[in-house]
Amino acid sequence: MSERSEQQPDPIDPFEEIIAAETDRDPDLAVIEAGSRTLRAQGGAPQSDVPSRPADPEVDKALREVEADLATRWGETKLEPSVQRIAALMDVLGEPQRSYPSIHITGTNGKTSTARMVEALLGAFDLRTGRYTSPHVQSITERISLDGAPISAERFVETYQDIKPYVEMVDGSQEYRLSFFEVLTGMAYAAFADAPVDVAVVEVGMGGSWDATNVIDGDVAVITPIDLDHTDRLGSTPAEIAVEKSGIIKQDATVILAQQPVDAAQVMLKKAVEVDATVAREGLEFGVVSRQVAVGGQMLTLRGLGGEYPEVYLPLHGPYQAHNAAVALAAVEAFFGVGSQRPEPLDAETVRKAFASVSSPGRLEVVRRSPTVVLDAAHNPAGALATAEAVGEAFDFSRLIGVVGASGDKNVRGVLEAFEPIFAEVVITQNSSHRAMDADELAAVAVEVFGDERVQVEPRLPDALEAAITLAEEEGEFAGAGVLVTGSVITVGEARLLLGKG
């Protein structure tokens, strides 16, 4: 195992200053800025759906104050499983979540990408949408979107200030204060009511039954593939996890069920029967008819609840994104009553335009060329296996270098084993979060999986990116080597900023 000699950080390096200032904050609030540091890996302009820090110093100051306020609350990894506190907040706010219909999404992997696709489809049919997803890639404002774009920093601050007195009122009446995620959920539901939106697309934070988002009664409940993650909270088998996730299935709802392990599917179907919900299953009532790799994505034929939709271009890579697209399409069809109230399918051309507009930052996202650098937020074994398959299909790399920084509470061995067949070498690093697994500890596992000669350690993420790009460039400019940065949403978000995206 090789490791570069420890270097003293540049005393004027803004990236170091920012990380030092952020170490005590909740990881999901640590919006790391790259400052003026210039990497050889620097990329192009930021994408519009991942906002950077506000340009106005006063607005930026106000946003930081809100972030600091939220950071005093329980983070997303500390839970007291109950919807009691969020229900109390909704009550004093006047039940804003009841003022619009909703599509509720749970599962283990694919939730955010599916939510983005649902949002794009609804918007294409002239509905005003609100989308609530987590975690964020770079900016906390990403979590609450209106009409397909994150709310502005100004609006985020205003929404927080609007509900803050009610939050404090609930804090004083409960055994525990509202958590970080509960306050953000309250903000989202209030912002959607204030907009107002025609429909909310809501991704659970964790599980389903006791998740803070579960004070809505989704007209459509979407269950993306269930696998093992958060096993300390949700259960050690797909069936046990499915029990928690089935909690979003409400009376008379429509359930859109992605392909599932048999035991998980049985749990979901049983819950649907109990509450008289209608179920549509991938592979039976809807699914992917065909898919072909295309430039920048893939070309699909999807079978929906109302018929087939041919020649659907999706600018995202991997078989799993095609399945996410089928699930999203079925969810929107169900929302519009296709297959029940109306026999005809949705307008195919509108569906095509919607899918062609979809993006999913940090999910097999190319942020640099020559050598190609790809970011992917896979952080559990199932997600890593899906990413590894997609990389092999979508990119013709002659040699792939991995950059991996993971959280300490994840199955890091499973993630590394999933990537071992496609990584020629791996650079082990860590992000700035206090949840990050120590680089040396992660490297010890990596050596067991990859062997000593294929592992390099660079505790600082900027150094890890430099090292990986150098390794990729050893084959020459036209050799087709690449770099994949993965292991954690936080690692990907910080790398994205370092590489010039935001």
Side-chain angles (χ1 to χ4, degrees):
M1 177 172 55
S2 59
E3 181 172 359
R4 286 174 53 176
S5 60
E6 183 175 343
Q7 299 178 352
Q8 293 297 319
D10 183 345
I12 62 171
D13 186 349
F15 186 79
E16 288 292 343
E17 293 177 4
I18 294 164
I19 288 180
E22 299 287 356
T23 52
D24 294 329
R25 302 181 66 195
D26 185 280
D28 294 303
L29 294 176
V31 184
I32 307 302
E33 297 173 79
S36 60
R37 181 183 175 91
T38 302
L39 291 174
R40 288 182 300 107
Q42 203 155 22
Q47 304 224 349
S48 60
D49 52 1
V50 181
S52 56
R53 297 299 310 187
D56 185 328
E58 290 303 313
V59 175
D60 186 56
K61 179 183 177 184
L63 180 60
R64 289 185 186 278
E65 288 173 353
V66 172
E67 292 173 329
D69 239 15
L70 290 168
T72 66
R73 298 180 176 274
W74 281 358
E76 286 165 291
T77 58
K78 186 172 183 179
L79 303 168
E80 192 279 315
S82 167
V83 294
Q84 178 179 330
R85 292 175 301 280
I86 186 68
L89 179 61
M90 293 297 99
D91 181 54
V92 297
L93 289 175
E95 304 291 347
Q97 82 283 13
R98 307 290 181 204
S99 63
Y100 40 80
S102 56
I103 296 175
H104 205 178
I105 304 173
T106 191
T108 302
N109 292 306
K111 296 187 296 294
T112 299
S113 293
T114 302
R116 285 177 167 273
M117 294 178 197
V118 168
E119 173 189 53
L121 284 162
L122 292 168
F125 285 98
D126 298 323
L127 292 183
R128 186 165 204 205
T129 58
R131 173 172 53 84
Y132 180 52
T133 53
S134 61
H136 55 270
V137 177
Q138 288 175 199
S139 171
I140 193 172
T141 60
E142 294 166 40
R143 295 181 179 229
I144 305 172
S145 290
L146 293 172
D147 294 324
I151 63 174
S152 66
E154 293 92 335
R155 191 162 191 168
F156 187 91
V157 171
E158 289 169 4
T159 302
Y160 178 73
Q161 296 299 342
D162 285 345
I163 76 164
K164 184 178 180 182
Y166 302 96
V167 168
E168 292 173 345
M169 186 187 308
V170 173
D171 283 344
S173 67
Q174 300 290 320
E175 182 179 0
Y176 303 105
R177 296 170 72 215
L178 287 154
S179 70
F180 162 79
F181 186 73
E182 287 168 335
V183 174
L184 277 178
T185 302
M187 288 174 62
Y189 289 163
F192 297 162
D194 185 61
V197 301
D198 297 314
V199 55
V201 182
V202 178
E203 174 190 338
V204 303
M206 186 186 299
S209 297
W210 42 258
D211 186 73
T213 63
N214 204 31
V215 288
I216 58 171
D217 292 327
D219 300 73
V220 178
V222 177
I223 320 292
T224 67
I226 291 174
D227 213 291
L228 301 182
D229 198 11
H230 300 296
T231 52
D232 57 329
R233 300 284 185 179
L234 303 178
S236 58
T237 68
E240 291 176 353
I241 293 172
V243 170
E244 290 298 330
K245 294 186 182 292
S246 67
I248 74 164
I249 301 173
K250 303 299 175 59
Q251 189 72 34
D252 300 322
T254 300
V255 182
I256 304 301
L257 197 60
Q259 291 179 347
Q260 303 288 349
V262 172
D263 56 348
Q266 289 173 338
V267 171
M268 295 291 177
L269 293 171
K270 180 182 178 183
K271 177 60 181 288
V273 170
E274 291 173 356
V275 297
D276 294 323
T278 302
V279 179
R281 300 154 295 178
E282 184 182 7
L284 293 173
E285 285 78 24
F286 70 93
V288 179
V289 175
S290 66
R291 55 181 296 274
Q292 291 181 312
V293 176
V295 175
Q298 51 195 309
M299 189 66 72
L300 311 174
T301 294
L302 302 175
R303 185 177 75 253
L305 305 179
E308 285 196 2
Y309 299 81
E311 298 181 351
V312 174
Y313 174 70
L314 180 67
L316 301 175
H317 301 291
Y320 68 97
Q321 293 288 20
H323 291 287
N324 289 340
V327 168
L329 176 60
V332 173
E333 285 184 311
F335 182 79
F336 284 122
V338 174
S340 55
Q341 288 90 16
R342 50 181 285 185
E344 70 276 7
L346 300 176
D347 179 71
E349 190 55 37
T350 303
V351 168
R352 292 188 189 101
K353 288 179 180 178
F355 276 120
S357 72
V358 170
S359 66
S360 195
R363 277 76 179 177
L364 282 181
E365 180 186 19
V366 177
V367 293
R368 185 195 193 271
R369 298 286 187 182
S370 188
T372 298
V373 178
V374 182
L375 307 180
D376 192 86
H379 56 271
N380 56 48
L385 284 168
T387 295
E389 179 185 10
V391 167
E393 175 185 270
F395 301 95
D396 189 22
F397 291 129
S398 59
R399 184 164 171 262
L400 184 61
I401 310 299
V403 175
V404 179
S407 295
D409 58 347
K410 298 298 181 181
N411 179 358
V412 294
R413 179 179 295 275
V415 170
L416 292 170
E417 287 174 348
F419 284 123
E420 190 277 333
I422 68 168
F423 286 165
E425 296 182 59
V426 62
V427 181
I428 297 299
T429 189
Q430 65 189 73
N431 57 56
S432 65
S433 163
H434 61 78
R435 288 168 54 200
M437 190 172 191
D438 178 77
D440 289 334
E441 186 180 348
L442 180 56
V445 181
V447 166
E448 294 176 5
V449 174
F450 288 85
D452 186 80
E453 296 302 314
R454 295 166 65 193
V455 178
Q456 181 170 331
V457 182
E458 296 290 353
R460 296 179 67 253
L461 183 56
D463 295 336
L465 294 172
E466 290 277 13
I469 289 167
T470 298
L471 288 169
E473 288 177 338
E474 287 177 355
E475 285 202 356
E477 183 178 356
F478 304 106
V483 174
L484 175 64
V485 184
T486 189
S488 163
V489 176
I490 300 168
T491 300
V492 164
E494 292 179 7
R496 201 174 189 276
L497 280 163
L498 284 167
L499 293 165
K501 293 290 185 180

